[in-house]
Amino acid sequence: MDGNGRWAKERNKPRVEGHYQGAKQIEKVLQSAKDCGVKYITLYAFSSENWNRPKDEVDALMSLLLASIQENRKLIIENKIRFRTIGNIEELPQNCVEEIRKLENDSKNFTEQTLVLALNYGSRDELARAVSKLATDVADGKIKASEITYEKIAENFDTADIPDPDLMIRTSGEMRLSNYLMLQSAYAELYFTKTYWPDFGHKEFLEAIQEYQRRERRYGLTGEQINVK
Ligand code: FPP
């Protein structure tokens, strides 16, 4: 969800205003995903590197996170959306952790759609935590070192119960993966758009899906075509 800061700057507004608009886009994109039959959507809301931002901005993002979860709770439950997070959640402010755990628990049996928020997430950190867990299992004699495969490592990722992404969208013109789902997206189609996240709505989402479908068709794997309305 990149480009919030530049979106605000172009309008002579504080960066936080961009994040506020960005948070509002989440509901729209969730609806678009539902319309297209996209069952899993994972949003990079706060990276493990984002702690390096000015304290005021980090505090504002945490307040926004708390408010977004509280405000969207009803929508998530009514629409039977399973809410999940990935990342080192326990390092977030305690009030955020409590709201997150509560919503995760209350929505855990829903199957309509899964919304995953990546919070305090970084692929390298996730990999280090997974390997550390496996190393402990080897030391405890639960598994032999020679039995470690990629699948065993992935079983210890935060994403263990989430399918690998088919499509990775990055907004705002940046063309990097920035430590986001690096191994999970090994075979994902990458889609980069110059649109800033606060302007990324239904039309932009459908354009990304259509581009994905064009690429899929090139390899003969046709899906149901989605028309931009
Ligand atoms: C990147 O834009 C965006 C973020 C670091 C935060 C993303 C957060 C939201 C969209 C809203 C918060 C919502 C929740 C649920 C936490 P940037 O600030 O790097 O933009 P720039 O590259 O233009 O400066």
Side-chain angles (χ1 to χ4, degrees):
M1 297 189 284
D2 206 1
N4 297 346
R6 279 163 285 168
W7 182 94
K9 194 170 179 221
E10 281 183 6
R11 288 159 181 79
N12 291 317
K13 291 180 172 177
R15 292 177 59 81
V16 162
E17 184 65 27
H19 295 316
Y20 180 72
Q21 283 301 325
K24 287 214 261 182
Q25 291 305 106
I26 296 176
E27 185 182 341
K28 289 189 205 164
V29 168
L30 256 184
Q31 183 61 48
S32 305
K34 189 178 178 185
D35 294 347
C36 297
V38 173
K39 287 270 213 177
Y40 290 83
I41 192 136
T42 304
L43 299 168
Y44 206 177
F46 194 86
S47 76
S48 34
E49 288 76 34
N50 284 155
W51 295 111
N52 298 328
R53 293 192 175 206
K55 186 178 179 307
D56 283 0
E57 186 174 347
V58 171
D59 288 349
L61 278 168
M62 291 302 144
S63 302
L64 189 55
L65 170 64
L66 186 65
S68 294
I69 296 176
Q70 288 168 338
E71 283 164 21
N72 288 304
R73 191 185 156 78
K74 195 163 171 268
L75 175 119
I76 287 174
I77 300 287
E78 279 180 4
N79 286 283
K80 299 201 179 330
I81 297 168
R82 180 171 71 127
F83 174 76
R84 282 270 280 107
T85 52
I86 55 171
N88 211 339
I89 301 301
E90 301 305 324
E91 288 178 1
L92 297 175
Q94 196 50 37
N95 53 2
C96 291
V97 177
E98 281 166 18
E99 284 300 319
I100 287 167
R101 294 301 182 217
K102 193 166 178 295
L103 189 52
E104 280 184 326
N105 190 52
D106 293 348
S107 66
K108 66 172 186 260
N109 294 322
F110 293 147
T111 54
E112 275 306 300
Q113 221 182 354
T114 298
L115 168 64
V116 186
L117 273 195
L119 291 163
N120 193 22
Y121 176 85
S123 278
R124 290 178 177 179
D125 174 62
E126 179 186 47
L127 180 63
R129 284 187 282 115
V131 170
S132 168
K133 169 75 174 47
L134 279 174
T136 308
D137 288 350
V138 171
D140 292 347
K142 290 183 189 158
I143 181 175
K144 290 191 192 121
S146 59
E147 288 169 354
I148 295 178
T149 57
Y150 173 71
E151 283 69 29
K152 283 270 178 297
I153 297 171
E155 278 169 23
N156 288 283
F157 282 166
D158 302 340
T159 52
D161 60 342
I162 301 162
D164 285 345
D166 295 310
L167 171 66
M168 170 83 77
I169 300 173
R170 182 160 188 172
T171 55
S172 91
E174 303 297 342
M175 294 173 83
R176 302 182 297 277
L177 293 185
S178 298
N179 203 17
Y180 185 51
L181 300 175
M182 296 297 290
L183 286 161
Q184 295 88 335
S185 61
Y187 295 100
E189 291 292 334
L190 307 181
Y191 179 85
F192 299 103
T193 171
K194 290 195 169 142
T195 305
Y196 295 147
W197 174 256
D199 290 326
F200 191 88
H202 188 62
K203 180 173 157 287
E204 290 74 17
F205 184 83
L206 290 184
E207 279 167 2
I209 297 284
Q210 282 192 322
E211 170 62 22
Y212 172 78
Q213 288 184 319
R214 273 194 289 275
R215 294 186 203 172
E216 284 287 278
R217 273 199 296 281
R218 237 176 281 155
Y219 298 98
L221 298 165
T222 54
E224 190 184 324
Q225 201 186 345
I226 290 157
N227 295 312
V228 176
K229 287 177 198 132

